[in-house]
Amino acid sequence: MRRSAVAADPNAPRVGLVFVSHSAAIADGLVELARQMAEDVVLVAAGGTDDGGIGTSFAKVSEGIARADAGSGAAVLFDLGSAVLTAETALDFVDDDQRARVRVVDAPLVEGGVAAAVAAQTGGTLDEVVAAASGASRGEAAGETPPADPGRPRYERTVTLRNEAGLHARPAAEFVRLASTFDAHVFVDGKDAKSLLAIMSLGAVRGDAVTISSDDTRARSAVDALAELVESGFGEG
Amino acid sequence: MDVDSNWATDWVRRSADAVAAHKADLAALDRAIGDGDHGENLDRGYRAALAALDGLGDDATPADALMLVATTLISNVGGAAGPLYGTAFLKASGAAQGLDELGPSDVVAILTAARDGIVLRGKAEPGDKTMVDAWTPAVEAASAAAAAGSDVRAVLEAAAGAAERGAVDTEPLVARKGRASYLGERSAGHRDPGAESTALLLRAAAEAAADAAERRGS
């Protein structure tokens, strides 16, 4: 059941990310936030002008793309107004080979950036990372379960959150990362277990019970693995 | 007569002079409907381009000079104008690739590529109250002049005149792109600073061609 390879090549470098903001503090802060859930991804802050003012820098974005793309590609997210112009112009100046591996993604910077970081951490391909970022704009609707088919057998387990943070931040990312290693569609209280934002939108805190389920009976191992992760308290003891 | 890399470098020098001379005017236009930094930013960009000209070799082509303008403007102007003008000169450089001398149709190709680059990057259409409203009439006037058999000097003169009229014609428009669009109806009654700076740059191109023609005595 467990996928043999999440990325096309398990030894391929991870997709990198560049965060373009008018503010250096915003870009740096987003790297700090996303780092909590993506310790192995190259995350580059490209915020502010060359002299530290408010604005975007062609040089910072260009260097960011060069650093973030280790061969598997990079996704570039941006904030306001001219940031997208700077990002797209920087892309114009890289060679054709690399340009094919870099995407400028229209997504909310913070939500999309975090979702993309988790997708990259779990070994997602460039397409999957871009889809994760773009999907973030759908907000809470992301990852809704399709209407249940009463005719299909269902396997589910209800477990109680024991860890401090509940299904939030790092534990949520760990949960999504584990869910992503299985082919099966698994849901948590009706939300897609592979969607970080959907999981975080549950707002499940310590002491809450969540139901992990799948309509796919072959997904028993996935449901069990996720239930055990929750019951283990995410290593927080 | 055709123009060569001397025209291209002279265009850069004259652009730098024009932008420096009109820095305050551009800033005033931009303060009315934008954030007021267009004059300062463009001046910084052209001063950097001027300084970078010294590094251009004797065998530099017009395309090399245009590429130098592209990279220095992108790196030094910032805001939306940096990427927009940078892309314009990048595409113009591409259109001039491999040519030592530029004839009327080459100049039309350069202006068209520059305008197309700006449209591609900024996604503005004519009538949105942006620099496209100066570039588009300039391209059309240059094409018409070249088709009528004009030389490079007359083609660029036509482009500069059309850009200047296009800039003036942005005054009654309501902005639909860029920061001025946040003002809605209140943006009407002001000239677009990007269209105005485009007119300045194309006037500099025409003056450089006229000067080249004078010096060659044609």
Side-chain angles (χ1 to χ4, degrees):
Chain A
M1 205 65 239
R2 195 175 276 252
R3 265 194 261 183
S4 56
V6 175
D9 170 3
N11 297 318
R14 287 181 171 81
V15 171
L17 299 175
V18 183
F19 300 137
V20 183
S21 172
H22 277 61
S23 153
I26 288 178
D28 290 341
L30 182 52
V31 166
E32 189 186 0
L33 174 65
R35 178 68 66 217
Q36 298 295 308
M37 310 170 209
E39 62 244 22
D40 304 313
V41 177
V42 179
L43 303 169
V44 185
T49 59
D50 290 334
D51 51 11
I54 293 291
T56 52
S57 154
F58 175 77
K60 286 186 182 183
V61 177
S62 297
E63 288 158 16
I65 289 172
R67 273 177 55 203
D69 172 29
S72 294
V76 183
L77 286 92
F78 55 89
D79 64 357
L80 314 166
S82 60
V84 64
L85 302 184
T86 305
E88 289 179 345
T89 305
L91 201 49
D92 248 0
F93 278 81
V94 305
D95 64 54
D96 293 350
D97 239 25
Q98 188 167 50
R99 189 178 310 124
R101 293 196 304 269
V102 180
R103 302 277 181 79
V104 176
V105 190
D106 188 3
L109 181 61
V110 176
E111 291 88 339
V114 169
V118 171
Q121 176 70 33
T122 55
T125 62
L126 180 58
D127 281 341
E128 288 163 351
V129 170
V130 169
S134 306
S137 61
R138 294 198 304 273
E140 290 204 12
E144 289 290 351
T145 175
D149 177 352
R152 292 190 71 174
R154 188 180 173 85
Y155 180 69
E156 64 175 47
R157 280 180 63 178
T158 298
V159 288
T160 302
L161 287 158
R162 300 173 37 199
N163 63 310
E164 187 67 40
L167 268 182
H168 193 71
R170 185 192 60 83
E174 235 174 86
F175 188 89
V176 168
R177 221 180 291 165
L178 178 61
S180 300
T181 62
F182 295 94
D183 276 330
H185 288 296
V186 179
F187 299 94
V188 185
D189 287 357
K191 303 274 185 180
D192 183 353
K194 294 178 189 174
S195 165
L196 179 73
L197 294 174
I199 295 302
M200 286 173 57
S201 76
L202 289 170
V205 298
R206 174 142 77 164
D208 284 354
V210 292
T211 300
I212 303 167
S213 66
S214 179
D215 287 347
D216 185 345
T217 48
R218 293 170 306 161
R220 183 179 281 262
S221 58
V223 173
D224 284 339
L226 291 166
E228 278 151 27
L229 177 66
V230 171
E231 287 184 325
S232 77
F234 295 89
E236 289 176 21
Chain B
M1 55 149 271
D2 293 348
V3 292
D4 56 16
S5 62
N6 288 323
W7 164 76
T9 51
D10 194 30
W11 181 15
V12 181
R13 286 191 194 94
R14 286 171 182 274
S15 297
D17 289 348
V19 169
H22 292 89
K23 187 166 77 168
D25 308 335
L26 292 173
L29 290 177
D30 198 29
R31 260 196 307 279
I33 57 172
D35 52 7
D37 62 1
H38 189 53
E40 192 66 46
N41 285 349
L42 204 54
D43 183 50
R44 182 175 57 242
Y46 265 101
R47 274 188 283 122
L50 210 51
L53 275 187
D54 294 339
L56 216 52
D58 290 340
D59 54 350
T61 61
D64 295 334
L66 294 169
M67 180 56 103
L68 177 144
V69 175
T71 52
T72 44
L73 292 188
I74 288 173
S75 303
N76 293 282
V77 177
L84 290 170
Y85 275 129
T87 302
F89 283 100
L90 172 70
K91 302 296 181 186
S93 172
Q97 211 64 54
L99 301 173
D100 290 322
E101 297 235 325
L102 307 172
S105 63
D106 301 320
V107 169
V108 171
I110 285 173
L111 296 178
T112 305
R115 189 272 313 266
D116 291 352
I118 288 167
V119 170
L120 170 87
R121 184 66 68 237
K123 314 216 164 48
E125 291 171 12
D128 284 350
K129 198 181 181 96
T130 70
M131 59 173 71
V132 171
D133 292 315
W135 278 99
T136 293
V139 167
E140 285 167 1
S143 302
S150 300
D151 63 5
V152 167
R153 177 183 180 171
V155 165
L156 284 168
E157 177 59 40
E164 285 160 357
R165 288 188 295 280
V168 171
D169 289 347
T170 63
E171 288 176 11
L173 298 176
V174 173
R176 288 195 295 251
K177 280 278 173 191
R179 193 179 290 238
S181 66
Y182 301 165
L183 295 175
E185 298 288 333
R186 280 181 292 141
S187 63
H190 301 281
R191 190 176 304 182
D192 179 66
E196 181 67 10
S197 60
T198 295
L200 291 176
L201 300 186
L202 292 181
R203 174 55 63 195
E207 286 173 359
D211 191 54
E214 303 287 329
R215 274 189 280 117
R216 286 209 215 168
S218 63

